[in-house]
Amino acid sequence: MAKLPYVRTMFATCMLFQVIYVLCVLLWLAFPVLKGHELLPIVFPGFKMVSVGSLIYGLVASMIYGWAVAIIYVFFFNLWPQLVAAVIGPRAVQRT
């Protein structure tokens, strides 16, 4: 099993989180009565819907959240084969 690279995964997760964030904001603008959009001010403290600065703040915060999630995911993804080999045996994990 090949190791997962940190930087590629971090940027991919960052872009995914930012796209989801922008879609949530656009949906909030299109349908303000939906209750699911109340999550944005909870996830991004200090978020206000009407300002451009708040929109940029949300993009930066979603980038940081994406990087944090990617770092944790890649760490455990790359560590998992070593743990399996230590518990079950080195023949259980075949690296390519």
Side-chain angles (χ1 to χ4, degrees):
M1 176 180 277
K3 287 192 171 216
L4 198 59
Y6 275 96
V7 176
R8 286 185 201 167
T9 308
M10 287 168 59
F11 280 106
T13 309
C14 166
M15 287 186 281
L16 174 69
F17 278 34
Q18 287 180 335
V19 166
I20 292 171
Y21 167 73
V22 169
L23 288 175
C24 283
V25 170
L26 289 175
L27 279 173
W28 194 355
L29 288 172
F31 305 103
V33 293
L34 292 177
K35 297 296 181 189
H37 304 301
E38 294 173 357
L39 183 65
L40 282 175
I42 295 169
V43 173
F44 306 111
F47 180 81
K48 301 276 190 255
M49 191 56 202
V50 294
S51 70
V52 174
S54 184
L55 179 71
I56 293 171
Y57 163 71
L59 283 171
V60 171
S62 62
M63 175 186 69
I64 293 169
Y65 290 160
W67 282 358
V69 167
I71 289 170
I72 294 168
Y73 176 77
V74 170
F75 174 76
F76 285 110
F77 183 88
N78 291 338
L79 181 67
W80 184 248
Q82 296 171 3
L83 290 175
V84 170
V87 173
I88 299 175
R91 298 176 79 193
V93 179
Q94 298 292 327
R95 287 227 172 207
T96 58

